[in-house]
Amino acid sequence: MRRNPRARLSLSLLLVAGALGLGAAPATSAEARSAAAAPSAIPSASAYALDAAVERELGADTAGTYLDRKTGDLVVTVTTDRAEERARATGATVRRVARSAAQLDAAMKTLEAEAKITGTSWGIDPRTNQVAVEADSSVSARDMARLEAVAKRLGGAVSISRVPGVFDREVLGGGAIYGGGSRCSAAFNVTKGGARYFVTAGHCTNISANWSATSGGPVIGVREGTSFPVNDYGIVRYTDGSSPAGTVDLYNGSTQDISSAANAVVGQAIRKSGSTTKVTSGTVTAVNVTVNYSDGPVYGMVRTTACSAGGDSGGAHFAGTVALGIHSGSSGCSGTSGSAIHQPVVEALSAYGVSVY
């Protein structure tokens, strides 16, 4: 559960992925790695609805939700009898854990205050009831020691792992939308009041107000909003008179229709469509993720194990017909295990008052 703190492109713009690379890696403990390696499920519409209902009903009285990899059931973590009773009333499976949402939040605030090191990220993994910290290859031995010292004081609330590559935004090679001399890609086509737009990564829309379908080609859309860092989303309004389909390119001659949006659930399966690595699959491993970029942090992100690379930024993270996120980046990919991070799309849709179709 996300907590508060956030097609190939032509003139018809079938949705693809973007032009960036930043992210996270597989889970941060033996249990989490095992869970990530196991087959993951795509939540049913009722599971997404239940997850949203649990968040409304329990709020900070749950330490997070996740999908059980064996049953596909939504599991709600709680620390008190009262919260357990309220969680069971929603129809969810309940699990008692040691650390509350407040304790995990306090651990993240300590990391924010004392270990905000470029090249690190952290987020909540409710399966392990921990804050899962990742440090990329740019983090020095001295900074690693500082991070470990902070984590040690926080006891078992924090786990740390090293990930290969470097957390960095890379606006290059995406070949889907062009602006300011750079290439990115669209995530999802959206609408408001009959007007058509697409959402993409904010670090892309920061670059330029005008966007084209080909390098140096005519403008097809104009930026109407951008937010990066802190968030990583932006919106572009079509100005070329086109009415693009609300689909995602699957890079096999077909597309995936998108009809709704939801927040991703830890343990669920996702797919990422990107113009560099095409369509890759993975599992959600953490939510409420902070990523410390060199040019500022982003908050409230989602960490997955999908493969991605430079050129995938701004693209689509989805599960079936459900839009989940806007690709923000990754630290790379080793074999079939990656670290793609996304900006939850629900937040972007709410910020701009638009909807998928």
Side-chain angles (χ1 to χ4, degrees):
M1 180 185 306
R2 183 171 180 270
R3 296 262 168 233
N4 147 18
R6 6 159 285 289
R8 239 164 335 182
L9 183 69
S10 64
L11 292 183
S12 64
L13 197 68
L14 292 177
L15 304 168
V16 283
L20 188 145
L22 169 163
T28 53
S29 69
E31 178 181 348
R33 283 192 296 270
S34 174
S40 50
I42 297 177
S44 63
S46 60
Y48 283 122
L50 179 58
D51 185 56
V54 166
E55 184 166 9
R56 289 193 303 270
E57 174 64 25
L58 272 73
D61 286 340
T62 170
T65 61
Y66 63 94
L67 283 188
D68 185 287
R69 70 179 188 272
K70 294 180 180 178
T71 66
D73 293 338
L74 186 75
V75 180
V76 181
T77 61
V78 298
T79 57
T80 67
D81 291 340
R82 178 175 177 272
E84 181 172 352
E85 183 178 349
R86 292 169 63 200
R88 292 195 186 282
T90 69
T93 300
V94 181
R95 175 184 161 211
R96 293 293 285 261
V97 293
R99 287 172 286 275
S100 67
Q103 290 172 303
L104 294 175
D105 185 58
M108 294 217 300
K109 286 179 178 177
T110 299
L111 290 166
E112 176 83 8
E114 301 181 25
K116 187 185 264 187
I117 299 164
T118 298
T120 61
S121 74
W122 49 77
I124 294 172
D125 184 348
R127 298 169 301 180
T128 61
N129 192 221
Q130 291 177 306
V131 176
V133 179
E134 294 183 341
D136 71 21
S137 61
S138 73
V139 178
S140 67
R142 180 176 180 178
D143 280 340
M144 196 68 184
R146 171 183 159 201
L147 179 62
E148 290 170 343
V150 173
K152 185 176 181 179
R153 293 205 322 273
L154 294 170
V158 173
S159 64
I160 301 175
S161 66
R162 278 280 199 178
V163 294
V166 176
F167 296 138
D168 193 15
R169 60 180 190 86
E170 297 173 351
V171 183
L172 48 83
I177 50 176
Y178 296 75
S182 299
R183 293 186 291 177
C184 287
S185 296
F188 303 101
N189 283 323
V190 296
T191 186
K192 177 175 65 174
R196 298 292 175 94
Y197 309 77
F198 63 83
V199 289
T200 187
H203 67 267
C204 294
T205 46
N206 275 0
I207 294 168
S208 177
N210 299 312
W211 291 88
S212 302
T214 58
S215 181
V219 172
I220 64 164
V222 176
R223 178 185 67 207
E224 290 209 346
T226 189
S227 182
F228 178 84
V230 180
N231 304 299
D232 197 3
Y233 54 73
I235 189 168
V236 175
R237 176 173 56 87
Y238 286 103
T239 56
D240 64 346
S242 63
S243 297
T247 55
V248 169
D249 193 350
L250 298 181
Y251 287 93
N252 60 3
S254 66
T255 60
Q256 172 65 61
D257 183 50
I258 299 295
S259 59
S260 64
N263 285 321
V265 181
V266 168
Q268 80 158 94
I270 64 106
R271 287 198 288 177
K272 181 228 85 258
S273 177
S275 56
T276 298
T277 58
K278 312 306 182 188
V279 177
T280 59
S281 301
T283 299
V284 175
T285 58
V287 294
N288 204 16
V289 173
T290 296
V291 184
N292 292 303
Y293 291 95
S294 60
D295 46 0
V298 289
Y299 300 97
M301 308 296 271
V302 173
R303 179 188 293 162
T304 80
T305 63
C307 281
S308 63
D312 284 334
S313 282
H317 286 219
F318 60 100
T321 62
V322 181
L324 298 173
I326 300 167
H327 185 69
S328 182
S330 109
S331 65
C333 185
S334 176
T336 58
S337 181
S339 59
I341 282 181
H342 74 240
Q343 158 74 54
V345 75
V346 168
E347 182 180 5
L349 299 181
S350 177
Y352 297 126
V354 295
S355 59
V356 298
Y357 57 90

